[in-house]
């Protein structure tokens, strides 16, 4: 299975002009690594523009992701954006339950509704889970989050979903760039797989689990070696020089580079 590398631009860059330059630079590097799925997640207003640039490049392994969505497809929901409209804008992936959204009040119940609505229009949800503080009872937190976030997802649909283990304390804006260790993240991956086996029995081993939290060219290989299916890259995705190094390492595992 090809590695999934997600570029989460968050609320960056500041202008359409800069977003276009960053998107073109990202496409330029990503297009060389056909065995890696690169997902570019710009802010909402830049989604269509970036989707058009990706379509022009004609590289099927480069996808567009949204950083959030809503659980209804139309109606009186001021300020929200529907999964259907995202799909119509060229989006393939949707990040759901990122800790920066949870910090603004998104609950597990809301995450669950978004996951179901996103799957219903055939987009791929990337569901974020992880403990806030280092040393917290991680197992209980992961059980709690996953059982609520994925309630009602069918065994068939679970295969379409991607999970990201992102210890909140390791995100660069919280930690000053100190990631989790691959060994510690591997323990979390094992816990997630165990929870999956209990929740979804036969599909327990098939889920793609990504790591997120201060990923950079120096530490990314450790997470691949630990068995993660990919990574979510925040601040380093804004620097094409760093991002290309991450893609090179993701691709090299398969002998392409
Ligand atoms: P970071 O962000 O790589 O800057 O830590 C990751 C994320 O929050 O998606």
């Amino acid at each position: 299975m090809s590695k999934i590398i997600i570029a989460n631009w968050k609320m960056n860059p500041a202008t359409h002009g800069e977003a276009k330059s960053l998107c073109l630079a990202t496409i330029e590097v990503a297009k060389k690594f056909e065995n890696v799925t690169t997902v570019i997640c710009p802010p909402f207003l830049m989604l269509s523009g970036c989707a058009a640039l990706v379509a022009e490049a004609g590289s099927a392994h480069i996808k567009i992701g949204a950083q959030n969505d809503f659980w209804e497809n139309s109606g009186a929901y001021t300020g929200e954006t529907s999964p259907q409209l995202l799909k119509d804008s060229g989006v393939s992936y949707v990040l759901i339950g990122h800790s920066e959204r949870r910090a603004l009040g998104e609950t597990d119940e809301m995450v669950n509704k978004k996951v179901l609505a996103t799957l219903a229009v055939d987009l791929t949800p990337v569901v974020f889970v992880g403990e806030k503080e280092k040393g917290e009872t991680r197992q209980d937190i992961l059980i709690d989050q996953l059982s609520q976030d994925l309630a009602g997802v069918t065994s068939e649909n679970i295969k379409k979903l991607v999970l990201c283990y992102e210890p909140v304390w390791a995100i660069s804006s919280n930690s000053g760039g100190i990631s989790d260790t691959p060994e510690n993240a591997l323990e979390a991956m094992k816990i997630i797989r165990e929870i999956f086996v209990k929740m979804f029995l036969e599909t327990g081993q098939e889920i793609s689990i990504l790591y997120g939290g201060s990923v950079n060219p120096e530490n990314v290989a450790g997470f691949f070696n630990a068995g993660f299916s990919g990574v979510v890259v925040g601040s380093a995705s804004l620097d094409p020089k760093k991002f290309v190094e991450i893609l090179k390492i993701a691709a090299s595992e398969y002998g392409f580079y």
Side-chain angles (χ1 to χ4, degrees):
M1 217 206 242
S2 71
K3 290 268 183 289
I4 303 172
I5 310 298
I6 298 186
N8 179 13
W9 290 1
K10 307 192 179 186
M11 202 175 71
N12 300 294
T15 65
H16 280 285
E18 289 169 89
K20 184 173 181 188
S21 305
L22 179 60
C23 190
L24 285 171
T26 306
I27 291 170
E28 198 49 40
V29 297
K31 100 181 160 186
K32 296 183 194 142
F33 304 104
E34 288 180 10
N35 62 333
V36 176
T37 301
T38 299
V39 184
I40 303 172
C41 301
F44 275 138
L45 284 176
M46 297 157 181
L47 281 172
S48 297
C50 288
L53 295 175
V54 167
E56 260 170 51
S59 301
H61 63 286
I62 307 176
K63 307 283 186 196
I64 294 291
Q67 299 174 18
N68 183 26
D69 67 358
F70 192 60
W71 54 80
E72 297 288 349
N73 278 316
S74 64
Y77 301 103
T78 303
E80 298 294 351
T81 303
S82 74
Q84 187 65 60
L85 185 62
L86 292 176
K87 188 175 180 178
D88 200 43
S89 309
V91 164
S92 309
Y93 289 74
V94 184
L95 312 187
I96 303 180
H98 190 284
S99 61
E100 286 154 15
R101 301 236 32 101
R102 291 180 189 259
L104 293 174
E106 193 160 296
T107 62
D108 286 304
E109 194 189 346
M110 290 157 86
V111 170
N112 179 240
K113 289 203 233 176
K114 292 180 181 194
V115 168
L116 296 175
T118 302
L119 285 167
V121 297
D122 252 334
L123 293 179
T124 301
V126 181
V127 183
F128 286 74
V129 291
E131 73 280 8
K132 276 200 196 125
E133 305 290 338
K134 200 171 186 168
E136 265 182 311
T137 7
R138 183 169 55 181
Q139 177 152 351
D140 294 346
I141 290 164
L142 291 176
I143 291 175
D144 205 44
Q145 289 178 333
L146 287 170
S147 57
Q148 294 186 66
D149 296 352
L150 306 184
V153 177
T154 61
S155 297
E156 193 43 46
N157 272 344
I158 205 72
K159 295 176 199 156
K160 300 179 190 158
L161 184 140
V162 174
L163 273 183
C164 178
Y165 170 61
E166 186 163 70
V168 182
W169 50 267
I171 294 176
S172 65
S173 48
N174 297 336
S175 70
I178 300 168
S179 69
D180 198 354
T181 61
E183 297 73 28
N184 196 42
L186 175 61
E187 285 309 307
M189 181 161 61
K190 286 186 190 155
I191 296 171
I192 292 170
R193 288 208 188 280
E194 274 167 31
I195 300 169
F196 254 79
V197 172
K198 286 200 184 114
M199 284 180 82
F200 299 102
L201 293 173
E202 78 279 10
T203 57
Q205 296 306 315
E206 290 179 28
I207 188 86
S208 296
I209 305 178
L210 316 182
Y211 169 79
S214 297
V215 170
N216 59 48
E218 286 72 46
N219 64 20
V220 71
F223 296 104
F224 294 144
N225 290 338
F228 282 93
S229 310
V231 287
V232 175
V233 188
S235 64
S237 72
L238 300 172
D239 179 345
K241 284 198 193 103
K242 286 188 185 165
F243 198 62
V244 69
E245 290 307 316
I246 291 171
L247 289 174
K248 264 188 209 172
I249 295 164
S252 66
E253 285 215 322
Y254 298 87
F256 268 62
Y257 206 84

